[in-house]
Amino acid sequence: MWATLIFSGTAALFLAMTLAALWHLRWVRRLPALETFAPPDRSASSAEERVRCSVVIAARDEEARIEGTIRHLLAQRGVEAEFIVVDDRSTDRTGEILRRLAKEDARVQVKRVEVLPEGWLGKCHACHIGAGAATGDWILFTDADCWLKPDVIARALRLAEREGADHVTLSPGTVVESLGARAWHLLFLTSLLNWFSGVNRDRPKAYLGIGAFNLVRAAAYRQCGGYEALRLTVVDDVKLGLLLRRAGKRTRAFLGVDDVECHWGTTVWSMIKIMEKNYFAALDYRHWLALTGSVFVILIFAILVVGLITGTAAGLVAAFSPLSIILPSAILARRLGWSWPCAVFVPFMFPVFLYALLNSTFVALRQGGIRWRDTFYSLETLRAGNVR
């Protein structure tokens, strides 16, 4: 009897996860096309023509993609923009490329950081420097390897105007070929569906921010404290959304797909390495929470295996219940422009996610901190400066 109850509870857990994902998917969409918005008022000077956006990029050793990133930005249409690139102590040709592009187009400003001040993460400091030089009504924080579609900033600004939002964020689109990498990204996005849904429904405690595309009204950014408040926060993009929510600002979130194409996590192993500094930080460096969560997930996996071995009806239902997550994953795959078969592999990514969490926790605890952009930060320092 106890075994049947345990198996039934496990199956119910995965069914609840699937139903919740399907519910949240109702509010997870792509950024609307430009033609879906009402045309701007052309009498006198329109609001669109008056809006100015400052694009801020924190770049370090990005010679492989930085020129493509800037040229995609220079091709933006429907918005007046300036592009502030902060070269954060690069040791490759990044600075040389940026200086050449600045000579070609006066809209490009290059700022160089030679020494990182005490009490700052490199990226956060670079974003702070860039935002301090911004003159726009809006500030877009994006990554140095992200290539934006020519109309995506204009569309995001129109959306913000229509929705009365102070913050628009987009998930990064990635170019991946393997089914495993696509399955990882599908499970990663599935884990964020309630975050997307929460901000798009204006839930009181919901917040989200994504570094690939964090567009924020300049006045709202300064009011909430900006990167001055985030100077020692590893998951700075997400926590910027938290600061904005605490300041009473409205966020809208969308799937980036090809609107924001990033060279990010093209293999499962690269995703594990990328998340090495992030997952433990996302738990606010609470090792007890990482341990408790990991033990719970391992117990669930054990129940699935035992259920398969027993061969009972309840055991088999439990063993195969994780397959239910394929349905919302397939819907999400279609919205990303991927074929649905990659969703079949999503349930098999659960152990990989667990490993990524354990790896992130173990590495940070073993080192006593994290190393980011060739600078080491102790856990004591990170915990003291973290925004929670």
Side-chain angles (χ1 to χ4, degrees):
M1 176 181 176
W2 282 107
T4 300
L5 288 175
I6 292 172
F7 291 146
S8 299
T10 302
L13 173 65
F14 283 100
L15 177 60
M17 289 172 54
T18 298
L19 292 176
L22 290 170
W23 166 261
H24 293 306
L25 272 170
R26 299 169 60 192
W27 291 276
V28 182
R29 301 284 180 178
R30 294 192 58 175
L31 187 65
L34 197 60
E35 55 268 21
T36 64
F37 297 97
D41 181 10
R42 293 299 180 185
S43 60
S45 57
S46 71
E48 179 189 36
E49 293 171 333
R50 292 195 301 269
V51 171
R52 178 176 172 83
C53 181
S54 300
V55 181
V56 173
I57 298 175
R60 179 178 172 86
D61 294 339
E62 296 283 356
E63 64 179 7
R65 282 178 66 91
I66 191 64
E67 181 163 357
T69 297
I70 301 303
R71 294 202 181 280
H72 277 78
L73 287 170
L74 292 173
Q76 291 295 307
R77 56 177 184 263
V79 60
E80 179 186 344
E82 62 178 356
F83 309 101
I84 305 167
V85 190
V86 182
D87 178 8
D88 180 24
R89 301 163 291 154
S90 293
T91 58
D92 63 1
R93 295 179 54 251
T94 297
E96 174 189 334
I97 295 169
L98 290 173
R99 288 189 293 273
R100 171 168 52 81
L101 292 171
K103 288 181 180 178
E104 293 179 13
D105 196 307
R107 292 175 295 170
V108 178
Q109 302 177 39
V110 181
K111 297 187 177 295
R112 168 81 181 182
V113 174
E114 296 288 354
V115 179
L116 180 63
E118 190 73 22
W120 282 91
L121 297 176
K123 181 196 171 185
C124 295
H125 177 254
C127 288
H128 175 67
I129 294 296
T135 63
D137 306 289
W138 289 80
I139 303 173
L140 170 63
F141 296 99
T142 186
D143 292 332
D145 65 343
C146 289
W147 293 0
L148 305 187
K149 258 190 175 179
D151 64 349
V152 67
I153 297 178
R155 288 156 56 202
L157 289 171
R158 291 277 194 91
L159 184 284
E161 180 185 6
R162 186 178 74 184
E163 298 282 324
D166 296 285
H167 178 217
V168 179
T169 191
L170 276 68
S171 66
T174 55
V175 182
V176 292
E177 300 299 332
S178 72
L179 290 177
R182 290 190 173 188
W184 169 285
H185 281 282
L186 286 175
L187 185 54
F188 175 74
L189 286 173
T190 300
S191 70
L192 296 178
L193 291 181
N194 62 321
W195 297 56
F196 277 81
S197 169
V199 296
N200 288 334
R201 291 185 293 137
D202 294 322
R203 304 302 296 170
K205 295 185 178 180
Y207 64 91
L208 182 61
I210 303 173
F213 193 97
N214 251 349
L215 179 67
V216 56
R217 197 182 301 271
Y221 169 81
R222 296 180 180 110
Q223 181 182 342
C224 76
Y227 273 94
E228 177 71 29
L230 297 169
R231 53 189 176 276
L232 282 169
T233 303
V234 171
V235 284
D236 58 286
D237 51 353
V238 178
K239 294 298 179 73
L240 178 59
L242 174 60
L243 292 180
L244 289 165
R245 192 264 292 170
R246 286 177 176 171
K249 308 305 178 184
R250 174 178 287 178
T251 293
R252 289 293 179 262
F254 298 91
L255 298 172
V257 196
D258 58 345
D259 288 328
V260 185
E261 180 187 309
C262 298
H263 189 68
W264 184 75
T266 56
T267 66
V268 172
W269 179 248
S270 66
M271 283 299 303
I272 292 173
K273 295 302 291 182
I274 288 170
M275 293 302 174
E276 194 168 85
K277 74 177 191 311
N278 288 2
Y279 276 161
F280 194 37
L283 298 179
D284 293 320
Y285 309 105
R286 292 174 288 185
H287 58 276
W288 64 268
L289 184 57
L291 178 62
T292 303
S294 298
V295 169
F296 176 77
V297 174
I298 290 171
L299 286 175
I300 293 297
F301 289 158
I303 292 170
L304 298 180
V305 173
V306 172
L308 187 62
I309 293 174
T310 62
T312 63
L316 291 175
V317 169
F320 290 104
S321 60
L323 299 180
S324 63
I325 204 68
I326 292 174
L327 178 57
S329 299
I331 295 172
L332 186 57
R334 291 295 300 272
R335 293 183 186 176
L336 296 176
W338 295 347
S339 58
W340 68 265
C342 59
V344 174
F345 294 86
V346 169
F348 303 98
M349 286 293 116
F350 283 115
V352 183
F353 259 62
L354 174 61
Y355 172 77
L357 171 61
L358 291 174
N359 178 66
S360 175
T361 304
F362 174 75
V363 169
L365 292 176
R366 183 191 65 195
Q367 296 178 156
I370 67 165
R371 182 168 295 279
W372 191 13
R373 295 193 172 197
D374 294 330
T375 303
F376 181 78
Y377 307 91
S378 70
L379 283 176
E380 182 181 2
T381 298
L382 293 172
R383 284 171 174 146
N386 187 42
V387 171
R388 295 179 60 176

